[in-house]
Amino acid sequence: MKNWTTTHYKPHARRETIIDVYRSRFNIHKIPNGKQYWSLCSDCTNDGEPHKDTEIGQMIHHDIISEQDFVGVDIDSNTISRNTIAYPHATWICNDFFAAMCEVDTFEPAIVNFDTISTPKYAIPVLGDIINIVPPNTMIVCNMILKCRNQIILPISEISQQIQIHLSGVDVDFHPDIMTYLNGTTEMATIVCYT
Ligand SMILES: C[S@@+](CC[C@H](N)C(=O)[O-])C[C@H]1O[C@@H](n2cnc3c(N)ncnc32)[C@H](O)[C@@H]1O
């Protein structure tokens, strides 16, 4: 298991679970023209300023996307306002993540980062809903809590089976490893799948 609780765990985690995995799966450096990177985004600034270790900053820095490819969604309106000022060429939406996907005019994801700190009870049905509506050749990355204070919430071996229950005839491929990591005393899992 990774322990990313030390310094800069987010950039390391994003590099290993998003950038490297996407490039190795699709054998391309950058998402195709006209495609989008969707993220449950949080604050993508450093004190209101753009920064290369935030999610959008890192993705642009590694040249897997351009600024205008990024669609950041958060239910917190202050977060969205700050991000809009720092990165004005990206799209920022204050809404529920799945509702935003259903409501936009142009939904062309190449990558979806459903980066929750939720338990499988909430995250898995929504992940299923997302997989059901994304186009072919989309990579979906989902973080969720697996174990809290030594209490197992869902064994790793049951995750993909639980996700399949929510799919409506969509073909999905799972990355062979479910990557697990510690966030304080909480054990998280990163699930990557492709349509
Ligand atoms: C773990 S953070 C995202 C971190 C970010 N992806 C990164 O790599 O730095 C999760 C964010 O999701 C937002 N959030 C939680 N539930 C949501 C929902 N249903 N729809 C939209 N945003 C939500 C929270 O406000 C929080 O800012």
Side-chain angles (χ1 to χ4, degrees):
M1 190 192 317
K2 308 269 180 191
N3 187 344
W4 279 322
T5 42
T6 48
T7 51
H8 306 306
Y9 95 92
K10 266 296 190 187
H12 276 287
R14 292 192 213 104
R15 176 81 201 239
E16 287 196 12
T17 63
I18 303 176
I19 300 171
D20 292 351
V21 176
Y22 184 81
R23 286 183 175 151
S24 131
R25 166 80 183 196
F26 293 99
N27 206 19
I28 48 177
H29 183 75
K30 193 167 186 169
I31 64 170
N33 272 343
K35 286 286 186 176
Q36 302 159 332
Y37 177 112
W38 278 72
S39 163
L40 192 66
C41 60
S42 195
D43 188 343
C44 286
T45 75
N46 181 19
D47 269 342
E49 297 296 323
H51 193 275
K52 69 170 180 48
D53 283 344
T54 67
E55 186 173 6
I56 182 172
Q58 182 180 16
M59 296 303 152
I60 295 168
H61 182 72
H62 284 275
D63 195 36
I64 191 160
I65 63 164
S66 299
E67 185 176 329
Q68 64 269 19
D69 303 329
F70 194 92
V71 183
V73 182
D74 205 289
I75 36 173
D76 184 77
S77 57
N78 288 329
T79 293
I80 292 299
S81 301
R82 285 160 72 85
N83 291 346
T84 305
I85 292 166
Y87 292 97
H89 302 294
T91 301
W92 301 103
I93 305 172
C94 182
N95 199 350
D96 169 72
F97 194 55
F98 185 67
M101 293 182 160
C102 297
E103 289 169 18
V104 284
D105 293 335
T106 312
F107 183 58
E108 284 295 339
I111 298 175
V112 174
N113 185 19
F114 182 43
D115 184 11
T116 83
I117 44 169
S118 307
T119 60
K121 190 174 172 190
Y122 162 77
I124 286 183
V126 181
L127 175 58
D129 290 341
I130 293 170
I131 296 170
N132 283 331
I133 64 161
V134 297
N137 296 318
T138 305
M139 181 176 90
I140 306 108
V141 181
C142 175
N143 289 318
M144 67 179 79
I145 295 176
L146 278 193
K147 200 196 254 184
C148 200
R149 291 189 207 90
N150 283 332
Q151 185 127 9
I152 295 176
I153 299 175
L154 181 69
I156 286 193
S157 56
E158 289 176 25
I159 293 179
S160 55
Q161 196 187 332
Q162 288 293 316
I163 295 169
Q164 301 271 9
I165 292 170
H166 297 276
L167 302 185
S168 49
V170 185
D171 274 340
V172 68
D173 248 10
F174 286 92
H175 187 281
D177 301 323
I178 290 183
M179 294 162 261
T180 59
Y181 61 99
L182 283 174
N183 185 358
T185 55
T186 304
E187 188 178 320
M188 306 285 297
T190 305
I191 297 116
V192 179
C193 55
Y194 319 92
T195 55

